[in-house]
Amino acid sequence: MSKLKIAIQKSGRLYEESLQLLKDCGIFVNNGKDQLKVSVDNFPMEIMYLRNSDIPQYLEDGVVDVAIVGENLLIEKGKNIKTIQKLGFSKCRVSLAVPKEVETDELSYFQGKKIATSYPNTLKNFLENQGIVSDIHVISGSVEIAPNIGLADGICDIVSSGSTLFKNGLRETVTLLKSESVLAQTPRLSSEKEAVLEKLVFRIKAVLKAKNSKYILMNVPNEKIQKVSEVLPVLKSPTVIPLAEEGWSSIHSVIDEERFWEVIDELKENGAQDILIIPIDKMVI
Ligand SMILES: Nc1ncnc2c1ncn2[C@@H]1O[C@H](COP(=O)(O)OP(=O)(O)OP(=O)(O)O)[C@@H](O)[C@H]1O
Ligand SMILES: O=P(O)(O)OC[C@H]1O[C@H](OP(=O)(O)OP(=O)(O)O)[C@H](O)[C@@H]1O
Ligand SMILES: [Mg+2]
């Protein structure tokens, strides 16, 4: 069977969670120190450790078949690359920021100004669409220092917690785009590799779905089963199991993690007791 070549970041923000995701998918990687190309024993896959910033080009050229990469980078490089699946980690945004003393949050502040960035294409396209003409100064890192050393009037860079901006006396004003890690695919893939990719995506979806869901169990008086079931957002219908104590049942179901806090009070009001929430390892629907 053809091996699917997957690129993941060699080191940096995406590395740990990319490997963890593969592990959760049952794909175990034995890294030798400084080994940049690694085979996997239990899945037809070969892993290449690359720089995040080089990955879009490798995908476009077909040197790798798929990759885990920051969505913002695919946008910046503007390549013909298909995003197959959002992966939910390394969430960030690309934003404009100004020295905190600047009084306005308006984009018009940047008219005729100098902006330092590592994302020149993203910025150029955004400013063009908004009818703003600025002087874009490209630097490859430590962008937040630029206004402090008189290099620029503002910056355009990645923001997550906002702490780097804060520590450097800057304030986020306009968000250009939101990003997270994604699984992306080269434009051409053989049907054999497509089949391997399908298996991988199936596993990833099961892992992601499970991460966002919880198994919920509670005890309910029999006459309240109907009411409680109506409150529960369920997959099909809840599992109802009689308890040893007459007149009581245990209700089991699966609930979105985010919805849990919304419905918990309603469940209690409708007679649910002894509510347990349990993590789910994998979920195949
Ligand atoms: N502070 C952050 N919080 C969350 N996600 C981030 C943050 N900074 C970057 N990212 C995301 O993680 C990706 C990788 O960032 P990282 O800084 O590790 O690598 P890089 O500097 O882009 O690349 P390289 O591997 O080429 O050195 C980015 O493309 C972005 O999508
Ligand atoms: O809003 P925050 O949570 O502070 O994160 C934002 C910072 O994180 C990224 O840098 P990184 O730490 O990846 O360093 P790098 O420039 O060397 O890639 C980004 O370039 C910002 O500087
Ligand atoms: Mg970085």
Side-chain angles (χ1 to χ4, degrees), residues 153-164:
D153 304 295
I155 65 154
C156 174
D157 197 23
I158 286 178
V159 183
S160 176
S161 66
S163 106
T164 311

Side-chain angles (χ1 to χ4, degrees), residues 9 11-14 50-54 70-73 90-92 119 158-160 179-180:
Q9 195 187 20
S11 64
R13 299 259 175 189
L14 299 165
L50 301 172
R51 291 281 298 268
N52 184 47
S53 28
D54 294 334
E71 204 178 6
N72 62 300
L73 201 65
S90 290
K91 288 192 175 173
C92 58
Y119 298 94
I158 286 178
V159 183
S160 176
S179 172
E180 63 186 84

Side-chain angles (χ1 to χ4, degrees), residues 144-157:
E144 290 88 349
I145 204 172
N148 289 320
I149 56 173
L151 190 67
D153 304 295
I155 65 154
C156 174
D157 197 23

Side-chain angles (χ1 to χ4, degrees), residues 6-17:
I6 183 170
I8 65 176
Q9 195 187 20
K10 180 175 175 284
S11 64
R13 299 259 175 189
L14 299 165
Y15 172 76
E16 296 274 344
E17 281 179 279

